[in-house]
Coordinates of all heavy atoms in Angstrom, one line a residue:
G27 N 177.8 48.0 150.1 CA 177.7 48.7 151.4 C 176.6 48.1 152.3 O 175.9 47.2 151.9
Q28 N 176.6 48.6 153.5 CA 175.6 48.1 154.5 C 174.3 48.8 154.3 O 174.2 50.0 154.0 CB 176.2 48.5 155.9 CG 175.3 48.0 157.0 CD 175.9 48.4 158.4 OE1 177.0 48.9 158.4 NE2 175.2 48.1 159.4
S29 N 173.2 48.1 154.4 CA 171.9 48.7 154.2 C 171.3 48.8 155.6 O 171.5 48.1 156.5 CB 171.0 47.8 153.3 OG 170.7 46.6 154.0
E30 N 170.4 49.9 155.7 CA 169.7 50.1 157.0 C 168.2 50.1 156.7 O 167.8 50.4 155.6 CB 170.1 51.6 157.5 CG 171.5 51.7 157.9 CD 171.9 51.1 159.2 OE1 171.0 50.9 160.0 OE2 173.1 50.8 159.3
V31 N 167.5 49.7 157.7 CA 166.0 49.7 157.6 C 165.5 50.8 158.4 O 165.9 50.9 159.6 CB 165.4 48.3 158.0 CG1 163.9 48.4 158.0 CG2 165.9 47.2 157.1
V32 N 164.6 51.6 157.9 CA 164.1 52.8 158.6 C 162.6 52.5 158.8 O 161.9 52.4 157.8 CB 164.3 54.1 157.8 CG1 163.7 55.2 158.5 CG2 165.8 54.3 157.7
N33 N 162.1 52.5 160.0 CA 160.7 52.2 160.3 C 160.2 53.3 161.3 O 159.7 53.0 162.3 CB 160.5 50.9 161.1 CG 160.7 49.7 160.2 OD1 160.5 49.8 159.0 ND2 161.1 48.6 160.8
D34 N 160.3 54.6 160.9 CA 159.9 55.6 161.8 C 158.6 56.3 161.6 O 158.2 57.2 162.3 CB 161.0 56.7 161.8 CG 162.3 56.2 162.3 OD1 162.3 55.4 163.2 OD2 163.4 56.6 161.8
H35 N 157.8 55.8 160.6 CA 156.5 56.4 160.4 C 155.4 55.5 160.8 O 155.5 54.3 160.7 CB 156.3 56.8 158.9 CG 157.2 57.9 158.4 ND1 156.9 59.3 158.8 CD2 158.3 58.0 157.7 CE1 157.8 60.1 158.3 NE2 158.6 59.3 157.6
E36 N 154.3 56.1 161.2 CA 153.1 55.3 161.6 C 152.1 55.0 160.5 O 151.3 54.2 160.5 CB 152.3 56.1 162.7 CG 153.1 56.4 164.0 CD 153.3 55.1 164.8 OE1 152.5 54.2 164.8 OE2 154.4 55.0 165.3
R37 N 152.3 55.8 159.4 CA 151.4 55.7 158.2 C 152.2 55.6 156.9 O 153.4 55.8 157.0 CB 150.3 56.8 158.2 CG 149.4 56.7 159.4 CD 148.2 57.6 159.3 NE 147.4 57.4 158.2 CZ 146.6 58.3 157.6 NH1 146.5 59.5 158.2 NH2 145.9 58.1 156.6
Q38 N 151.6 55.5 155.8 CA 152.2 55.4 154.5 C 153.2 56.5 154.2 O 152.9 57.7 154.4 CB 151.1 55.4 153.4 CG 151.7 55.3 152.0 CD 150.5 55.3 151.0 OE1 149.4 55.0 151.3 NE2 150.9 55.7 149.8
I39 N 154.4 56.2 153.7 CA 155.3 57.2 153.2 C 154.9 57.7 151.9 O 154.6 56.9 151.0 CB 156.7 56.6 153.2 CG1 157.2 56.4 154.6 CG2 157.7 57.6 152.4 CD1 158.6 55.7 154.7
T40 N 154.8 59.0 151.7 CA 154.3 59.6 150.5 C 155.4 60.2 149.6 O 155.2 60.5 148.4 CB 153.3 60.7 150.8 OG1 153.9 61.6 151.7 CG2 152.1 60.1 151.4
S41 N 156.6 60.4 150.2 CA 157.7 61.1 149.5 C 159.0 60.8 150.1 O 159.1 60.7 151.4 CB 157.5 62.6 149.5 OG 158.5 63.3 148.9
I42 N 160.0 60.5 149.3 CA 161.4 60.4 149.7 C 162.2 61.3 148.9 O 162.1 61.3 147.6 CB 161.9 59.0 149.6 CG1 161.1 58.0 150.5 CG2 163.4 58.9 150.0 CD1 161.4 56.5 150.2
F43 N 163.1 62.2 149.5 CA 163.9 63.1 148.8 C 165.3 62.9 149.2 O 165.6 63.0 150.4 CB 163.5 64.5 149.0 CG 164.2 65.5 148.1 CD1 163.7 65.9 146.9 CD2 165.4 66.0 148.5 CE1 164.4 66.8 146.1 CE2 166.1 66.9 147.7 CZ 165.6 67.3 146.5
I44 N 166.2 62.6 148.3 CA 167.6 62.4 148.6 C 168.5 63.5 148.1 O 168.4 63.9 147.0 CB 168.1 61.0 148.0 CG1 167.3 59.9 148.5 CG2 169.6 60.8 148.2 CD1 167.4 58.6 147.8
S45 N 169.4 64.0 149.0 CA 170.4 65.0 148.6 C 171.8 64.5 148.9 O 172.2 64.5 150.1 CB 170.1 66.3 149.4 OG 171.2 67.2 149.1
E46 N 172.4 64.0 147.9 CA 173.8 63.5 148.1 C 174.7 64.6 148.5 O 175.6 64.5 149.3 CB 174.3 62.8 146.8 CG 173.7 61.4 146.6 CD 174.4 60.6 145.6 OE1 175.6 60.3 145.7 OE2 173.7 60.3 144.6
E47 N 174.5 65.8 147.9 CA 175.3 67.0 148.2 C 175.3 67.3 149.7 O 176.3 67.7 150.2 CB 174.7 68.2 147.5 CG 175.5 68.7 146.3 CD 174.9 70.0 145.7 OE1 173.7 70.2 145.9 OE2 175.7 70.7 145.1
M48 N 174.1 67.2 150.3 CA 174.0 67.6 151.7 C 174.2 66.3 152.6 O 174.1 66.5 153.8 CB 172.6 68.2 151.9 CG 172.4 69.5 151.2 SD 170.6 70.0 151.2 CE 170.5 70.7 152.9
C49 N 174.3 65.2 152.0 CA 174.5 63.9 152.8 C 173.2 63.6 153.6 O 173.4 63.2 154.8 CB 175.7 63.9 153.6 SG 177.2 64.0 152.6
L50 N 172.1 64.0 153.1 CA 170.8 63.9 153.9 C 169.7 63.2 153.0 O 169.8 63.3 151.8 CB 170.3 65.2 154.3 CG 171.2 66.0 155.3 CD1 170.6 67.4 155.4 CD2 171.3 65.4 156.6
F51 N 168.7 62.7 153.6 CA 167.5 62.4 152.9 C 166.3 62.6 153.9 O 166.5 62.6 155.1 CB 167.5 60.9 152.3 CG 167.3 59.8 153.3 CD1 166.1 59.2 153.6 CD2 168.4 59.3 153.9 CE1 165.9 58.2 154.4 CE2 168.3 58.2 154.8 CZ 167.1 57.6 155.1
V52 N 165.1 62.9 153.3 CA 163.9 63.1 154.1 C 162.8 62.2 153.6 O 162.8 61.8 152.4 CB 163.4 64.6 154.0 CG1 164.3 65.5 154.8 CG2 163.2 65.1 152.6
T53 N 162.0 61.8 154.5 CA 160.8 61.0 154.2 C 159.6 61.8 154.7 O 159.6 62.3 155.8 CB 160.8 59.6 154.9 OG1 161.0 59.7 156.3 CG2 162.0 58.8 154.3
A54 N 158.5 61.8 153.9 CA 157.3 62.4 154.3 C 156.2 61.4 154.4 O 156.3 60.3 153.7 CB 156.9 63.5 153.3
S55 N 155.2 61.6 155.3 CA 154.2 60.6 155.5 C 152.8 61.1 155.8 O 152.7 62.3 156.2 CB 154.7 59.7 156.7 OG 153.6 58.8 157.1
L56 N 151.8 60.3 155.6 CA 150.5 60.6 155.9 C 150.3 60.8 157.4 O 149.3 61.4 157.8 CB 149.5 59.5 155.4 CG 149.4 59.3 153.9 CD1 148.5 58.2 153.5 CD2 149.0 60.6 153.2
D57 N 151.3 60.4 158.2 CA 151.2 60.6 159.7 C 151.5 62.1 160.1 O 151.4 62.4 161.2 CB 152.1 59.6 160.4 CG 153.6 59.8 160.2 OD1 154.0 60.8 159.5 OD2 154.3 58.9 160.6
G58 N 151.8 62.9 159.1 CA 152.1 64.3 159.4 C 153.5 64.6 159.8 O 153.8 65.7 160.2
Y59 N 154.4 63.7 159.7 CA 155.8 63.8 160.0 C 156.7 63.8 158.8 O 156.5 63.1 157.9 CB 156.3 62.8 161.0 CG 155.6 62.9 162.4 CD1 154.5 62.2 162.7 CD2 156.1 63.7 163.3 CE1 153.8 62.3 163.9 CE2 155.6 63.8 164.6 CZ 154.4 63.1 164.8 OH 153.8 63.2 166.1
V60 N 157.8 64.6 158.9 CA 158.8 64.6 157.9 C 160.1 64.3 158.7 O 160.4 65.1 159.6 CB 159.0 66.0 157.1 CG1 160.2 65.9 156.2 CG2 157.7 66.2 156.4
N61 N 160.7 63.2 158.4 CA 162.0 62.8 159.1 C 163.2 63.1 158.2 O 163.2 62.7 157.0 CB 161.9 61.4 159.5 CG 160.9 61.1 160.5 OD1 160.5 61.9 161.3 ND2 160.4 59.9 160.5
M62 N 164.2 63.7 158.8 CA 165.5 63.9 158.1 C 166.6 63.0 158.6 O 166.7 62.9 159.9 CB 165.9 65.4 158.3 CG 167.1 65.8 157.5 SD 167.4 67.6 157.6 CE 167.8 67.8 159.3
Y63 N 167.3 62.4 157.7 CA 168.3 61.4 158.1 C 169.6 61.7 157.5 O 169.7 62.2 156.4 CB 167.9 60.0 157.6 CG 166.5 59.5 158.1 CD1 165.4 59.7 157.4 CD2 166.5 58.7 159.3 CE1 164.2 59.3 157.9 CE2 165.3 58.3 159.8 CZ 164.1 58.5 159.1 OH 162.9 58.1 159.5
N64 N 170.7 61.2 158.1 CA 172.0 61.1 157.5 C 171.9 60.1 156.4 O 171.5 58.9 156.6 CB 173.0 60.7 158.6 CG 174.4 60.6 158.0 OD1 174.7 59.7 157.2 ND2 175.3 61.4 158.5
L65 N 172.4 60.5 155.2 CA 172.3 59.6 154.1 C 173.1 58.3 154.2 O 172.7 57.3 153.7 CB 172.7 60.3 152.8 CG 172.6 59.6 151.5 CD1 171.2 59.1 151.2 CD2 173.0 60.5 150.3
W66 N 174.2 58.4 154.9 CA 175.2 57.3 154.9 C 174.9 56.3 156.1 O 175.2 55.1 156.0 CB 176.6 57.8 154.9 CG 176.8 58.7 153.8 CD1 177.2 60.0 153.9 CD2 176.6 58.5 152.4 NE1 177.2 60.6 152.6 CE2 176.9 59.7 151.7 CE3 176.1 57.4 151.6 CZ2 176.7 59.9 150.3 CZ3 176.0 57.6 150.2 CH2 176.3 58.8 149.6
T67 N 174.4 56.9 157.2 CA 174.2 56.0 158.4 C 172.7 55.7 158.7 O 172.4 54.9 159.5 CB 174.8 56.7 159.7 OG1 174.0 57.9 159.9 CG2 176.3 57.0 159.5
A68 N 171.8 56.5 158.0 CA 170.4 56.4 158.3 C 170.0 56.8 159.7 O 168.9 56.6 160.1 CB 169.8 55.0 158.0
E69 N 170.9 57.6 160.3 CA 170.6 58.1 161.7 C 169.5 59.2 161.5 O 169.7 60.1 160.7 CB 171.8 58.6 162.3 CG 171.6 59.3 163.6 CD 172.8 60.1 164.2 OE1 173.9 60.0 163.5 OE2 172.7 60.7 165.2
L70 N 168.5 59.2 162.4 CA 167.4 60.2 162.4 C 168.0 61.5 163.0 O 168.5 61.4 164.1 CB 166.2 59.7 163.2 CG 165.1 60.7 163.3 CD1 164.5 61.1 162.0 CD2 164.0 60.2 164.3
I71 N 168.0 62.5 162.2 CA 168.7 63.8 162.7 C 167.6 64.7 163.3 O 167.8 65.4 164.3 CB 169.4 64.5 161.5 CG1 170.6 63.6 161.1 CG2 169.9 65.9 161.9 CD1 171.2 64.1 159.8
R72 N 166.5 64.8 162.6 CA 165.5 65.8 163.0 C 164.1 65.4 162.5 O 164.0 64.8 161.4 CB 165.9 67.2 162.5 CG 165.0 68.3 163.0 CD 165.7 69.6 162.9 NE 164.7 70.6 163.3 CZ 164.7 71.9 162.9 NH1 165.6 72.3 162.1 NH2 163.8 72.7 163.4
T73 N 163.0 65.7 163.2 CA 161.7 65.5 162.7 C 160.9 66.8 162.7 O 161.0 67.6 163.6 CB 160.9 64.5 163.7 OG1 161.6 63.3 163.7 CG2 159.5 64.3 163.3
F74 N 160.3 67.0 161.5 CA 159.4 68.2 161.4 C 158.0 67.7 161.4 O 157.7 66.6 160.9 CB 159.7 68.9 160.0 CG 161.1 69.2 159.8 CD1 162.0 68.4 159.2 CD2 161.6 70.4 160.3 CE1 163.3 68.7 159.0 CE2 163.0 70.8 160.1 CZ 163.8 69.9 159.4
T75 N 157.0 68.5 161.9 CA 155.7 68.0 162.0 C 154.7 69.0 161.4 O 154.9 70.2 161.3 CB 155.2 67.9 163.5 OG1 155.3 69.1 164.2 CG2 156.1 66.8 164.2
S76 N 153.6 68.4 160.9 CA 152.5 69.1 160.3 C 151.2 68.6 161.0 O 151.2 67.4 161.5 CB 152.4 68.9 158.8 OG 151.2 69.4 158.3
Q77 N 150.2 69.4 161.1 CA 148.9 68.9 161.7 C 148.1 68.0 160.8 O 147.2 67.4 161.2 CB 148.0 70.1 162.1 CG 148.7 71.0 163.1 CD 149.1 70.4 164.4 OE1 148.3 69.6 164.9 NE2 150.2 70.7 164.9
T78 N 148.6 67.9 159.5 CA 147.9 67.2 158.5 C 148.8 66.3 157.7 O 150.1 66.5 157.8 CB 147.1 68.1 157.5 OG1 148.1 69.0 156.9 CG2 146.1 69.0 158.2
P79 N 148.4 65.3 156.9 CA 149.3 64.5 156.1 C 150.2 65.3 155.2 O 149.8 66.4 154.8 CB 148.3 63.7 155.2 CG 147.0 63.6 156.0 CD 147.0 65.0 156.7
V80 N 151.4 64.8 155.0 CA 152.4 65.5 154.2 C 152.6 64.7 152.9 O 152.8 63.5 153.0 CB 153.7 65.7 155.0 CG1 154.8 66.3 154.1 CG2 153.5 66.5 156.2
Y81 N 152.5 65.3 151.8 CA 152.5 64.6 150.5 C 153.9 64.7 149.8 O 154.2 63.9 148.9 CB 151.4 65.1 149.6 CG 150.1 64.7 150.2 CD1 149.3 65.5 151.0 CD2 149.6 63.4 149.9 CE1 148.1 65.1 151.5 CE2 148.4 63.0 150.5 CZ 147.6 63.8 151.3 OH 146.5 63.4 151.8
S82 N 154.7 65.8 150.1 CA 156.0 65.9 149.4 C 156.9 66.7 150.3 O 156.4 67.6 151.0 CB 155.8 66.5 148.1 OG 155.3 67.8 148.1
A83 N 158.2 66.4 150.2 CA 159.2 67.1 151.0 C 160.4 67.2 150.2 O 160.7 66.3 149.4 CB 159.5 66.3 152.3
I84 N 161.1 68.3 150.3 CA 162.4 68.5 149.6 C 163.5 69.1 150.5 O 163.1 69.6 151.6 CB 162.2 69.5 148.4 CG1 161.8 70.9 148.9 CG2 161.2 69.0 147.4 CD1 161.9 72.0 147.9
L85 N 164.7 68.9 150.1 CA 165.8 69.6 150.8 C 166.4 70.6 149.8 O 166.5 70.3 148.6 CB 166.9 68.5 151.2 CG 166.5 67.6 152.3 CD1 167.4 66.4 152.3 CD2 166.5 68.2 153.6
A86 N 166.9 71.7 150.3 CA 167.5 72.7 149.5 C 168.6 73.4 150.2 O 168.6 73.4 151.4 CB 166.5 73.8 149.0
Q87 N 169.6 73.9 149.5 CA 170.8 74.5 150.1 C 170.8 76.0 150.0 O 171.6 76.7 150.6 CB 172.1 74.0 149.4 CG 172.4 72.6 150.0 CD 173.8 72.2 149.5 OE1 174.0 71.7 148.5 NE2 174.8 72.5 150.4
S88 N 169.9 76.6 149.1 CA 170.0 78.0 148.9 C 168.6 78.6 149.1 O 167.7 78.1 148.6 CB 170.5 78.2 147.5 OG 170.6 79.6 147.2
P89 N 168.5 79.8 149.8 CA 169.5 80.6 150.3 C 170.2 80.0 151.6 O 171.3 80.4 152.0 CB 168.9 81.9 150.5 CG 167.4 81.6 150.8 CD 167.2 80.3 150.0
L90 N 169.5 79.2 152.3 CA 170.0 78.5 153.5 C 169.7 77.0 153.4 O 168.7 76.7 152.8 CB 169.3 79.1 154.8 CG 169.5 80.5 155.2 CD1 168.5 80.9 156.2 CD2 170.9 80.7 155.6
P91 N 170.4 76.2 154.1 CA 170.1 74.7 154.1 C 168.7 74.6 154.8 O 168.5 75.1 155.9 CB 171.2 74.1 155.0 CG 172.3 75.0 154.9 CD 171.7 76.4 154.8
M92 N 167.8 74.0 154.0 CA 166.4 73.9 154.5 C 165.7 72.7 154.1 O 166.1 72.0 153.2 CB 165.6 75.1 154.0 CG 165.4 75.1 152.5 SD 164.2 76.2 151.9 CE 164.0 77.5 153.0
C93 N 164.6 72.4 154.8 CA 163.7 71.3 154.5 C 162.3 72.0 154.3 O 161.9 72.8 155.1 CB 163.5 70.3 155.6 SG 162.3 69.0 155.3
A94 N 161.7 71.7 153.2 CA 160.3 72.3 152.9 C 159.4 71.1 152.6 O 159.8 70.1 152.0 CB 160.4 73.3 151.7
F95 N 158.1 71.2 153.0 CA 157.2 70.2 152.7 C 155.8 70.8 152.5 O 155.5 71.9 153.0 CB 157.2 69.1 153.8 CG 157.0 69.6 155.2 CD1 155.7 69.7 155.7 CD2 158.0 69.9 156.0 CE1 155.5 70.1 157.0 CE2 157.9 70.3 157.3 CZ 156.6 70.4 157.8
F96 N 155.0 70.0 151.8 CA 153.7 70.5 151.4 C 152.6 69.7 152.1 O 152.5 68.5 152.1 CB 153.5 70.3 149.8 CG 152.2 70.8 149.3 CD1 151.9 72.2 149.3 CD2 151.2 70.0 148.9 CE1 150.7 72.7 148.8 CE2 150.0 70.5 148.4 CZ 149.8 71.8 148.4
S97 N 151.6 70.5 152.6 CA 150.4 70.0 153.2 C 149.3 70.3 152.3 O 148.8 71.4 152.2 CB 150.2 70.6 154.6 OG 148.9 70.3 155.1
R98 N 148.8 69.3 151.6 CA 147.7 69.5 150.7 C 146.4 69.9 151.4 O 145.7 70.8 150.9 CB 147.4 68.1 149.9 CG 146.5 68.3 148.7 CD 146.1 67.0 148.1 NE 147.3 66.2 147.7 CZ 147.3 64.9 147.3 NH1 146.2 64.3 147.3 NH2 148.4 64.3 147.0
D99 N 146.1 69.4 152.6 CA 144.9 69.7 153.3 C 144.9 71.2 153.7 O 143.9 71.8 153.8 CB 144.8 68.8 154.5 CG 144.6 67.4 154.2 OD1 144.5 67.1 153.0 OD2 144.7 66.5 155.1
E100 N 146.1 71.7 154.1 CA 146.2 73.2 154.5 C 146.5 74.1 153.3 O 146.5 75.3 153.4 CB 147.3 73.3 155.5 CG 147.1 72.6 156.8 CD 148.4 72.7 157.7 OE1 149.5 72.5 157.2 OE2 148.2 73.0 158.9
H101 N 146.8 73.5 152.1 CA 147.2 74.2 150.9 C 148.4 75.1 151.2 O 148.4 76.3 150.8 CB 146.1 75.0 150.4 CG 144.9 74.2 150.1 ND1 144.8 73.3 149.0 CD2 143.7 74.1 150.7 CE1 143.6 72.8 149.0 NE2 142.9 73.2 150.0
M102 N 149.4 74.6 152.0 CA 150.5 75.4 152.4 C 151.8 74.6 152.3 O 151.9 73.4 152.5 CB 150.4 75.7 153.9 CG 149.3 76.7 154.2 SD 149.2 77.0 156.0 CE 150.7 78.0 156.2
W103 N 152.9 75.4 152.0 CA 154.3 74.9 152.1 C 154.8 75.3 153.4 O 154.6 76.4 153.8 CB 155.1 75.5 151.0 CG 155.0 74.8 149.7 CD1 154.2 75.0 148.6 CD2 155.8 73.6 149.3 NE1 154.4 74.1 147.6 CE2 155.4 73.3 148.0 CE3 156.8 72.8 149.9 CZ2 155.9 72.2 147.3 CZ3 157.3 71.7 149.2 CH2 156.9 71.4 147.9
H104 N 155.5 74.4 154.1 CA 156.2 74.8 155.3 C 157.7 74.7 155.0 O 158.1 73.7 154.4 CB 155.8 73.7 156.4 CG 154.4 73.7 156.7 ND1 153.8 74.5 157.7 CD2 153.4 72.9 156.2 CE1 152.5 74.2 157.7 NE2 152.2 73.3 156.8
A105 N 158.4 75.6 155.5 CA 159.9 75.6 155.3 C 160.6 75.9 156.6 O 160.2 76.8 157.4 CB 160.3 76.6 154.3
Y106 N 161.6 75.0 156.9 CA 162.4 75.2 158.1 C 163.9 75.1 157.8 O 164.3 74.2 157.0 CB 162.1 74.0 159.1 CG 160.7 74.0 159.6 CD1 159.7 73.3 158.9 CD2 160.3 74.7 160.7 CE1 158.4 73.2 159.3 CE2 159.0 74.7 161.1 CZ 158.0 74.0 160.4 OH 156.7 74.0 160.9
T107 N 164.7 76.0 158.4 CA 166.1 75.8 158.2 C 166.5 74.6 158.9 O 166.0 74.2 160.0 CB 166.9 77.0 158.8 OG1 166.6 77.2 160.1 CG2 166.5 78.3 158.0
I108 N 167.5 73.9 158.4 CA 168.0 72.6 158.9 C 168.6 72.8 160.3 O 168.5 72.0 161.2 CB 168.9 71.9 158.0 CG1 168.1 71.4 156.8 CG2 169.7 70.8 158.6 CD1 168.8 70.8 155.7
N109 N 169.3 73.9 160.5 CA 170.0 74.2 161.8 C 169.2 74.8 162.9 O 169.7 75.1 163.9 CB 171.2 75.0 161.5 CG 172.2 74.4 160.6 OD1 172.3 73.2 160.5 ND2 172.8 75.2 159.7
G110 N 167.9 74.9 162.6 CA 167.0 75.4 163.7 C 166.2 76.6 163.2 O 165.3 77.1 163.8

């Protein structure tokens, strides 16, 4: 298949989470951004932000399709539904 190069973070990527079921993947970075992409086209779908570096991000389908990520500096998990 065709490969895509993704260069959307300003600092080191700390986490990549792939969900084949949802056809999505997310990248988390020390720049405080979590980017969500279409798994097959690598198109950036949505960006979530934190005021501090993000060390891990996940995608989940239950109870709602969501992206959650951890800010070690704030000692907090942030969770957002994918559709808004």
Side-chain angles (χ1 to χ4, degrees):
Q28 182 179 357
S29 68
E30 296 285 337
V31 175
V32 176
N33 288 335
D34 294 326
H35 288 288
E36 298 292 322
R37 296 190 55 205
Q38 176 183 338
I39 291 175
T40 54
S41 175
I42 298 171
F43 187 93
I44 299 168
S45 173
E46 285 191 63
E47 254 185 334
M48 298 170 75
C49 298
L50 298 170
F51 72 96
V52 289
T53 58
S55 172
L56 295 179
D57 62 12
Y59 291 93
V60 175
N61 292 333
M62 183 173 66
Y63 300 91
N64 177 298
L65 181 59
W66 310 120
T67 66
E69 174 189 359
L70 178 61
I71 296 172
R72 187 159 177 208
T73 298
F74 305 94
T75 61
S76 171
Q77 302 299 317
T78 60
V80 179
Y81 293 93
S82 59
I84 62 167
L85 292 164
Q87 281 191 274
S88 180
L90 293 169
M92 64 164 30
C93 176
F95 55 91
F96 183 68
S97 168
R98 191 184 306 167
D99 298 352
E100 296 174 314
H101 305 287
M102 290 179 72
W103 277 94
H104 301 270
Y106 295 92
T107 59
I108 289 176
N109 298 326

